[in-house]
Amino acid sequence: MPGTSQTIALIDAESFYASCEAAFDPKLRDRPIVVLSNNDGCVVAANILAKRLDPGIMFKPYFQIQAWAETMGVAVRSSNYELYGAVSNRIAEIISRYSAWQEVYSIDESFIGLQGSPGELEAIGREIRKSVRMLTGVPVRVAMGATKSLAKVAAIGIKQTPSLNGVLHLGRYGEAQLGVILESIAVTDLWGVAGRTGKKLAAMNVHSARDLRDLDAKWARKKFNVNMERIVLELRGTPCIPLELIPPAAKDQLIFSRSFSKKITDRHDMQQVISLYAQRVSARLRAQGSLAGHLSAWAMTGWADTGTVSHSAQASVGLSTLTDDPITLTKAARVLMPKLFPTEGIRYARAGVVLTDLRQADGVQPLDLFRPEFEGRGVGQALDQINQKFATTAVGVGLGGMKAPPGWEMKRELLSRRCLTNWDELLVAAA
């Protein structure tokens, strides 16, 4: 970035999944909230009120906490990925108004580049918090430092110090004060330091962020890797991990897989699964502007299922020409059925469809002689437009075109309204 007073700001949402739920349901505000994993299995998100009631709530199975939640007035919701994705996109767009340099790091985090004094930038941070909260209802924190790693350190400080009101620029502290801050942070709490690495560092008497900062950078690279060297330098205020201003390149493999709400033992149901998953992964293929040359599918039983012997099956097929057509991909997936479902009685718990040998669509021009029957008719593009306008699964082809969800679809019995992506689930305002 141009200029000498470079600052990296990390904007992350507070308890993002739970905050999204509260933003669209006023009855949930000021209530403890937990959000469950696929098939309502276990807790994957919780707001601060829920964590205060039970600091160990994360990843507990739902059946173990169901009675406790009802007794304590804890709101429980299924994962509403459609809502969270839509809110995430809105937050990223709002943040982009404050900087020409933005990296959307995850569904609830963005880095941006800023210039100015700590006082000026903290004022901008408060304005970002205000704008995001007003336009989406989701609270965010704004943590700033000279590097990405220091911005992550500032984020830890914000979480531990409520009096900061969600905004902190580490540039407000002198060298001695910053050293005290880094000394108070365990090395395993740092961005990019995993548990196994933390154990190895502890054996070298490196326990705090300050200990890591004071290591010889070249020695850290020799003992670990170049990423550890970069973290050491970043903790000293030397930028080594730049903002990824260009979106990541298209993926070289696309997968759509899910666990079932109930075991599948019928061949027709498995055909429906494979047809539906092939169409859903083809939508992802078109979204990134790619064509696929190879398709594979797999299915397996549950590891804890005592009702059948453990079994898994996998098969693959090459495509005659690169394609993103949902009909062609569905037909190819159906060809694999004899290998995926060799006999009745197997209790399948999970399946998936995988596309590989991906190429950018604008770089492939197949001859008409080898073009599949439905290629060029724009079936996939038409499906995408309809589904984007009315609902994510408004229409499909063959066994993938179901008006009502099949009984084996992922269980989400506590799902809130998908009010930003589904016309049938728009919010109703009461006055």
Side-chain angles (χ1 to χ4, degrees):
M1 297 193 312
T4 56
S5 57
Q6 168 181 317
T7 293
I8 300 296
L10 170 64
I11 298 95
D12 74 299
E14 301 177 17
S15 305
F16 181 57
Y17 286 7
S19 293
C20 289
E21 297 291 346
F24 290 90
D25 187 350
K27 295 178 182 178
L28 298 184
R29 294 172 191 175
D30 301 322
R31 280 187 62 186
I33 305 169
V34 298
V35 179
L36 305 177
S37 64
N38 292 348
N39 283 315
D40 295 341
C42 64
V43 176
V44 292
N47 65 358
I48 187 65
L49 297 177
K51 291 177 180 178
R52 286 174 183 170
L53 289 176
D54 182 356
I57 189 66
M58 293 298 294
F59 307 113
K60 283 188 175 180
Y62 176 49
F63 74 88
Q64 290 185 1
I65 68 159
Q66 185 174 3
W68 168 83
E70 294 172 356
T71 302
M72 302 302 293
V74 178
V76 182
R77 294 291 182 268
S78 302
S79 295
N80 191 339
Y81 300 118
E82 298 90 338
L83 178 66
Y84 308 151
V87 174
S88 174
N89 292 337
R90 291 187 180 196
I91 292 176
E93 191 279 325
I94 295 167
I95 293 171
S96 70
R97 303 173 190 177
Y98 293 88
S99 175
W101 306 285
Q102 179 182 21
E103 175 188 343
V104 179
Y105 182 68
S106 68
I107 192 171
D108 63 343
E109 293 179 300
S110 281
F111 288 105
I112 61 173
L114 297 170
Q115 290 177 307
S117 68
E120 292 170 337
L121 297 186
E122 285 190 340
I124 292 175
R126 288 188 287 271
E127 179 63 26
I128 292 173
R129 272 176 54 88
K130 179 181 177 181
S131 295
V132 173
R133 186 63 179 266
M134 180 178 66
L135 297 175
T136 69
V138 175
V140 298
R141 295 176 285 249
V142 184
M144 292 172 274
T147 67
K148 280 186 173 181
S149 295
L150 288 176
K152 284 282 190 176
V153 168
I156 295 173
I158 291 174
K159 292 178 182 179
Q160 297 176 348
T161 315
S163 61
L164 292 171
N165 294 319
V167 178
L168 173 63
H169 193 316
L170 284 184
R172 67 153 71 174
Y173 301 110
E175 190 66 29
Q177 290 176 301
L178 185 57
V180 173
I181 292 170
L182 293 176
E183 183 66 32
S184 69
I185 297 174
V187 69
T188 50
D189 289 339
L190 289 175
W191 183 44
V193 181
R196 184 179 299 179
T197 302
K199 291 180 180 179
K200 189 174 180 181
L201 286 168
M204 301 174 181
N205 204 33
V206 177
H207 302 284
S208 70
R210 182 173 183 171
D211 295 336
L212 183 59
R213 181 199 66 178
D214 294 340
L215 283 181
D216 179 83
K218 297 299 181 184
W219 182 86
R221 178 172 182 166
K222 181 179 180 181
K223 291 293 183 179
F224 293 92
N225 50 45
V226 66
N227 290 328
M228 186 61 70
E229 179 187 26
R230 289 171 179 164
I231 293 172
V232 171
L233 293 173
E234 288 240 326
L235 291 174
R236 298 175 186 173
T238 303
C240 298
I241 308 174
L243 288 175
E244 300 291 341
L245 304 181
I246 301 174
K251 297 179 181 179
D252 56 8
Q253 175 179 271
L254 291 172
I255 303 172
F256 190 95
S257 65
R258 291 287 187 274
S259 296
F260 310 134
S261 60
K262 66 177 184 179
K263 301 297 188 292
I264 286 185
T265 59
D266 181 76
R267 187 183 302 273
H268 180 270
D269 285 344
M270 184 58 75
Q271 288 179 338
Q272 195 176 54
V273 168
I274 296 303
S275 297
L276 186 60
Y277 286 11
Q279 290 178 52
R280 290 184 178 176
V281 78
S282 76
R284 295 180 179 179
L285 185 69
R286 292 186 296 277
Q288 74 168 29
S290 299
L291 304 176
H294 193 271
L295 181 146
S296 58
W298 54 268
M300 63 177 59
T301 55
W303 63 272
D305 185 8
T306 58
T308 186
V309 295
S310 178
H311 179 79
S312 63
Q314 182 173 357
S316 60
V317 61
L319 304 172
S320 59
T321 186
L322 294 166
T323 183
D324 64 5
D325 178 65
I327 298 177
T328 302
L329 293 172
T330 300
K331 284 185 173 182
R334 293 282 297 276
V335 170
L336 305 178
M337 274 300 301
K339 295 181 179 179
L340 294 178
F341 206 100
T343 183
E344 300 287 342
I346 301 174
R347 293 164 50 86
Y348 283 111
R350 185 177 179 87
V353 173
V354 185
L355 298 179
T356 52
D357 188 18
L358 306 188
R359 318 283 179 83
Q360 284 302 106
D362 55 10
V364 178
Q365 294 294 332
L367 296 175
D368 291 337
L369 177 63
F370 302 104
R371 183 171 296 206
E373 178 185 359
F374 297 99
E375 199 76 27
R377 298 186 184 180
V379 175
Q381 290 73 14
L383 292 178
D384 295 340
Q385 292 174 8
I386 295 171
N387 289 331
Q388 289 171 9
K389 184 174 182 179
F390 296 103
T392 54
T393 56
V395 66
V397 296
L399 291 176
M402 297 164 289
K403 184 175 181 179
W408 48 260
E409 274 272 61
M410 183 174 65
K411 182 172 66 175
R412 293 194 286 179
E413 295 180 347
L414 302 169
L415 183 66
S416 55
R417 289 175 179 263
R418 294 166 292 183
C419 50
L420 298 182
T421 58
N422 194 314
W423 283 109
D424 295 330
E425 299 180 20
L426 292 179
L427 290 179
V428 177

